[in-house]
Amino acid sequence: MKIFPTISRRTGTPPKSPQLLTTPFDSSGKPPTVARYESIEAIGMAASVKPDGTVRRTAAPRHAVTIDGLSAGLVPHRQWPLRQWFLARSRRYYHARTLHRRFTPAPRFYQDVDPALRKLCRLLHGIGIRTTASCEGHDHGREYFEARWEALCSESQTIRREGLMVTESEGGHTFRFRNTHYRLPWRRFGHFLRDSLSHQATGYLGVIIPASEPGLNQRWRDAARRLRDLRPVPDPALGRRFGGQLYHLTVQCPRAEERYGNWQRLTDWVQEELVDR
């Protein structure tokens, strides 16, 4: 994905003093990566800098940093941590590959998380565990996907023309996604429907325990043995890329009631084994 520095409409030059808007999850000391920095001028909104260096926003953006290279394609669940996710007004997510990048969740983050996962994410964040992109799993019918297809086709035209406003799902920052050559990854609705139906029943949440918390990681591993069929799957190679230990939580059930019950089991497990003890 390419993110271009904002160019001043008056001078044709990038803004001089970008403000740090977010706190990265990793502490590797690497240079800032995609979308970690923005400027008040670039966002084009009334704002003030708080004592901790973050920006207090007071108005919707008039124009935003332009980004390119997002996709609406479906991604295998265990690759979700490697993607940066952006939400459009249609409630459809776009994404791009990213590495070593985690934001402290913005307040609206919990509004966008699926209901079955909200308490679980809050509990995990409260004890210092970070979460990746997630989905509780769904069982939508054809009409739902017909409406989504129409929205995707409409948005693809907007992306090629003036650009589509999208919001980064963790940090809450707004960007303009514009690409004059953008095309959907599916040629026909039938292809989109087939892929979506095969993808939607699986619920997923990735968790990252920082390397600086070995005691927490050991508690997690000890408690995980009691989960049996819902036991988190460790991914050491991927975890190293995020400076910690990464675990995949997957719930795959054909019925919504069963999926919700399994997410509730995981929530209760975190509450009892990691929070209350």
Side-chain angles (χ1 to χ4, degrees):
M1 184 175 91
K2 296 174 286 185
I3 287 199
F4 303 102
T6 303
I7 305 300
S8 168
R9 295 180 179 179
R10 291 173 296 178
T11 64
T13 58
K16 294 181 179 180
S17 303
Q19 298 289 340
L20 180 61
L21 297 187
T22 58
T23 302
F25 171 67
D26 64 277
S27 56
S28 62
K30 295 180 181 295
T33 55
V34 171
R36 186 173 287 177
Y37 287 84
E38 298 169 7
S39 72
I40 298 174
E41 178 182 354
I43 296 301
M45 62 197 309
S48 60
V49 180
K50 295 189 286 186
D52 62 358
T54 59
V55 172
R56 180 183 293 110
R57 299 167 180 239
T58 57
R62 295 191 299 273
H63 57 90
V65 176
T66 298
I67 60 177
D68 186 12
L70 304 188
S71 171
L74 299 178
V75 179
H77 293 84
R78 292 192 182 185
Q79 293 182 20
W80 286 11
L82 295 174
R83 313 300 290 187
Q84 183 179 0
W85 299 83
F86 299 80
L87 184 63
R89 290 183 179 177
S90 66
R91 310 301 296 173
R92 178 73 192 187
Y93 281 96
Y94 294 83
H95 56 86
R97 187 175 178 83
T98 186
L99 284 177
H100 297 293
R101 187 179 175 284
R102 291 294 119 189
F103 285 126
T104 299
R108 64 164 290 167
F109 170 83
Y110 298 105
Q111 301 173 23
D112 295 330
V113 171
D114 286 340
L117 300 175
R118 285 175 190 162
K119 182 178 179 180
L120 177 57
C121 288
R122 285 186 182 275
L123 290 173
L124 292 169
H125 296 164
I127 57 175
I129 296 178
R130 293 297 173 218
T131 57
T132 71
S134 63
C135 178
E136 67 182 20
H138 302 286
D139 51 359
H140 299 302
R142 182 186 178 93
E143 290 184 0
Y144 172 89
F145 290 112
E146 286 176 343
R148 283 291 181 267
W149 177 251
E150 291 180 6
L152 283 170
C153 292
S154 175
E155 288 178 351
S156 67
Q157 297 179 26
T158 303
I159 292 166
R160 291 192 294 270
R161 295 195 304 256
E162 68 271 22
L164 178 70
M165 302 306 294
V166 294
T167 301
E168 201 276 326
S169 62
E170 288 181 311
H173 310 314
T174 300
F175 300 89
R176 185 184 304 277
F177 169 32
R178 186 171 184 272
N179 182 344
T180 56
H181 303 291
Y182 178 78
R183 294 291 183 273
L184 289 172
W186 306 276
R187 297 186 62 182
R188 299 181 179 87
F189 168 70
H191 299 161
F192 167 70
L193 179 64
R194 178 198 60 204
D195 291 351
S196 299
L197 289 174
S198 65
H199 197 77
Q200 69 166 342
T202 300
Y204 174 81
L205 175 66
V207 303
I208 303 170
I209 302 178
S212 59
E213 297 289 345
L216 179 59
N217 183 57
Q218 188 60 51
R219 288 170 55 203
W220 172 278
R221 292 173 65 90
D222 292 342
R225 297 189 180 97
R226 292 184 281 277
L227 275 173
R228 297 182 181 178
D229 56 316
L230 293 179
R231 187 172 176 176
V233 177
D235 192 331
L238 194 55
R240 285 193 294 270
R241 300 171 83 167
F242 291 99
Q245 298 290 333
L246 188 142
Y247 298 87
H248 302 288
L249 298 175
T250 304
V251 170
Q252 193 165 15
C253 308
R255 295 185 304 159
E257 297 83 0
E258 188 177 355
R259 280 196 305 273
Y260 185 86
N262 282 334
W263 284 121
Q264 188 60 51
R265 275 182 60 196
L266 286 166
T267 302
D268 293 343
W269 170 74
V270 170
Q271 179 81 58
E272 296 167 4
E273 300 288 348
L274 301 174
V275 176
D276 292 343
R277 287 195 176 185

